[in-house]
Amino acid sequence: DNCPETIFAWFGCAWLGAIAVTTNARASQEEVSYFAGHAGVVGGITQPKFVSLVSAACPSLPWLAVTRTDNGASPDGGAPSAADAFEALLGDPDTLSERPHDPTAPFSVQYTSGTTSRPKGVSWTHANALWGARVNATHEGLRPDDIHLVMLPLFHTNAQAYSILACLWAGATAVVQPRFSASRFWSVANEERCTWTSLMPFLTRALSHHPVPESHHFRLWGNAVAEPPTDALFGVRCMGWWGMTETITQGILSTHDQPAEPMSIGRPAPEYEIRVTDALGRPCQPGDTGDLAIRGVRGLSLFAEYLHNPQATADSFDEHGFFLTGDKIRVGERGELYFGDRSKDMLKVGGENVSASEIERVVITVAGVEETAVVARRHPMLDEVPVAFVRTLLTDADEREALIAAVQATCTRDLADFKRPREVRLIDDFPRSTLEKIAKAQLRAMLEEGD
């Protein structure tokens, strides 16, 4: 979870020249095992409540350092020994031999869901981190007197670059919470006199169910859309923006000091080249929705590579050097941009990117599953949640019920909680499109009709 040790370890790795692989605290044992094996990790840092999971996932890990508390709370299983405690890692940086300055050296890896069955390791360089610090601070108009409330997870680009790196570049203050809490949001924000925070739409929906204080110190929020209707409720203006782990900062945003078109994500950032095209590759006209691509400098304004996956890296760029985002964007009448949709095999679950094929890879391992397809169902709080359709040859009612339970149990074991299907539906056969592909559009329509 977010804690001071998270930040110290992250920057300690950077100073040392090691690579920090930041992982989702909600990841399953199988996912942690994959991250560690794929990245070739040589050590781990965790909290007491995750020790058993990490130890089981990575039995051959050379060493594992453990914080003394779980976000300040005494751990249920007792504190680690002195030899295993986080403090055992601490030393005098003056004793380190000086490293050559190399902005292209690898800095960190974040695993992000893509359209493939396994998460891809997005590799940042030191130049990427410095870019994120400087450009995010500029985009957000951060000042030394700003106090930034950070409650999004520190394994992710938003909290890492939009918040922590930007604050340090600007000389602002970061107030770090273990996680988002709608009930504690306003009390902490007012106690610390916070002036800035980065949110996501499902968090503002959660906050809308709690009383808003008569006064607060916020001057701006960052969000997925600019100036939503909730600005009036909270008494603070939202900037809109769009970015990805691969872009380090926002490629599209509204400006912090000018009005924006309500519900837009803004306009192209000056540091990037943005392209929105139709199916034939033609530039979209106002009112049209097309595919979003972005061009920058690899290893500086765009990620360096997908770790150990040169084919995926190559496939993510076109012949002109544009990164193919997989997002759909609508062009507004005045040049503003609106988020249209994601590639249909990607889900957005409470701000988390989830790959349908990653869930399908787990479901298909269950005995009795002949074929599976995962699609998104709309959700009033989380935007989308996954639903798994399963084709089976089983006809006995009890066996079919047992199959549903087995699928749910396997997903609970092998997937982070936000990736688990909220429903498993058995189906005798799938609707098909050309080449016998499963027609997921028809499955989505079935869900909407059922809802």
Side-chain angles (χ1 to χ4, degrees):
D1 290 325
N2 293 0
C3 59
E5 293 92 342
T6 305
I7 301 174
F8 298 153
W10 189 45
F11 276 94
C13 286
W15 188 270
L16 182 67
I19 302 170
V21 181
T22 55
T23 58
N24 194 330
R26 296 162 69 184
S28 69
Q29 177 179 317
E30 197 273 342
E31 289 169 319
V32 172
S33 179
Y34 170 72
F35 299 152
H38 182 262
V41 301
V42 298
I45 302 170
T46 191
Q47 293 171 285
K49 63 182 177 180
F50 298 125
V51 167
S52 59
L53 183 150
V54 176
S55 298
C58 315
S60 59
L61 201 65
W63 56 267
L64 184 64
V66 184
T67 62
R68 291 193 177 276
T69 68
D70 283 315
N71 303 50
S74 298
D76 292 338
S81 66
D84 294 332
F86 177 83
E87 289 79 7
L89 298 178
L90 302 180
D92 182 357
D94 291 335
T95 63
L96 291 174
S97 57
E98 186 171 348
R99 290 192 297 108
H101 294 174
D102 181 7
T104 66
F107 169 79
S108 67
V109 173
Q110 297 175 52
Y111 279 90
T112 182
S113 293
T115 54
T116 56
S117 61
R118 282 292 197 179
K120 298 192 289 287
V122 180
S123 181
W124 283 7
T125 66
H126 283 254
N128 283 143
L130 289 168
W131 172 274
R134 180 175 183 173
V135 174
N136 279 304
T138 301
H139 283 178
E140 297 166 28
L142 285 181
R143 309 184 304 230
D145 61 342
D146 274 319
I147 300 173
H148 198 308
L149 182 61
V150 183
M151 66 279 178
L152 294 177
L154 283 167
F155 70 83
H156 189 270
T157 303
N158 197 309
Q160 283 185 11
Y162 294 14
S163 297
I164 295 296
L165 289 176
C167 281
L168 292 174
W169 185 275
T173 299
V175 175
V176 180
Q177 288 188 282
R179 64 186 65 83
F180 171 75
S181 169
S183 61
R184 297 190 64 227
F185 177 87
W186 288 111
S187 60
V188 172
N190 272 351
E191 181 179 350
E192 302 294 342
R193 305 178 69 86
C194 295
T195 61
W196 234 107
T197 195
S198 178
L199 289 163
M200 292 182 177
F202 82 98
L203 301 185
T204 55
R205 285 197 288 274
L207 287 174
S208 68
H209 297 294
H210 291 261
V212 180
E214 293 183 1
S215 63
H216 57 73
H217 305 278
F218 283 113
R219 66 182 185 89
L220 277 172
W221 286 357
N223 207 337
V225 293
E227 303 184 20
T230 50
D231 280 9
L233 171 66
F234 300 123
V236 61
R237 177 171 168 261
C238 276
M239 290 178 58
W241 56 34
W242 168 92
M244 300 176 68
T245 310
E246 289 89 342
T247 67
I248 297 90
T249 182
Q250 305 95 358
I252 302 170
L253 79 159
S254 60
T255 55
H256 61 85
D257 55 355
Q258 295 291 329
E261 294 294 328
M263 300 304 292
S264 72
I265 55 177
R267 290 181 169 86
E271 299 87 1
Y272 294 90
E273 194 174 350
I274 295 294
R275 188 186 70 191
V276 183
T277 55
D278 63 17
L280 298 177
R282 300 171 300 193
C284 284
Q285 301 303 309
D288 294 341
T289 297
D291 297 306
L292 173 64
I294 182 170
R295 184 159 65 181
V297 179
R298 289 266 299 277
L300 177 65
S301 55
L302 295 177
F303 73 117
E305 63 177 353
Y306 289 123
L307 186 68
H308 307 320
N309 198 338
Q311 188 61 54
T313 303
D315 291 345
S316 65
F317 290 87
D318 70 8
E319 66 274 20
H320 303 295
F322 277 87
F323 175 69
L324 308 174
T325 69
D327 286 341
K328 299 284 188 180
I329 293 292
R330 178 169 62 86
V331 180
E333 295 298 327
R334 301 181 182 180
E336 70 279 5
L337 301 174
Y338 297 83
F339 190 77
D341 201 353
R342 294 193 60 79
S343 294
K344 289 300 185 180
D345 265 357
M346 287 295 296
L347 289 68
K348 198 77 165 181
V349 182
E352 299 275 8
N353 290 336
V354 175
S355 166
S357 57
E358 186 179 356
I359 304 172
E360 291 163 356
R361 178 185 59 81
V362 173
V363 175
I364 199 65
T365 65
V366 179
V369 174
E370 300 296 325
E371 200 173 11
T372 184
V374 171
V375 297
R377 182 174 64 197
R378 294 176 184 175
H379 190 277
M381 185 64 70
L382 301 176
D383 292 330
E384 295 176 332
V385 293
V387 173
F389 285 85
V390 169
R391 183 173 69 86
T392 180
L393 302 180
L394 300 175
T395 57
D396 180 78
D398 291 339
E399 290 181 335
R400 289 168 71 91
E401 285 297 319
L403 176 61
I404 291 173
V407 169
Q408 292 170 332
T410 301
C411 291
T412 298
R413 184 191 67 199
D414 291 344
L415 293 170
D417 54 2
F418 60 91
K419 299 178 183 178
R420 297 167 192 161
R422 299 304 194 274
E423 182 184 358
V424 178
R425 291 195 181 190
L426 302 187
I427 193 167
D428 293 330
D429 197 11
F430 282 108
R432 306 284 177 174
S433 60
T434 56
L435 301 179
E436 287 301 297
K437 290 183 178 180
I438 295 174
K440 286 192 172 183
Q442 293 186 42
L443 297 180
R444 296 185 193 97
M446 290 168 59
L447 288 179
E448 291 180 3
E449 291 168 3
D451 292 341

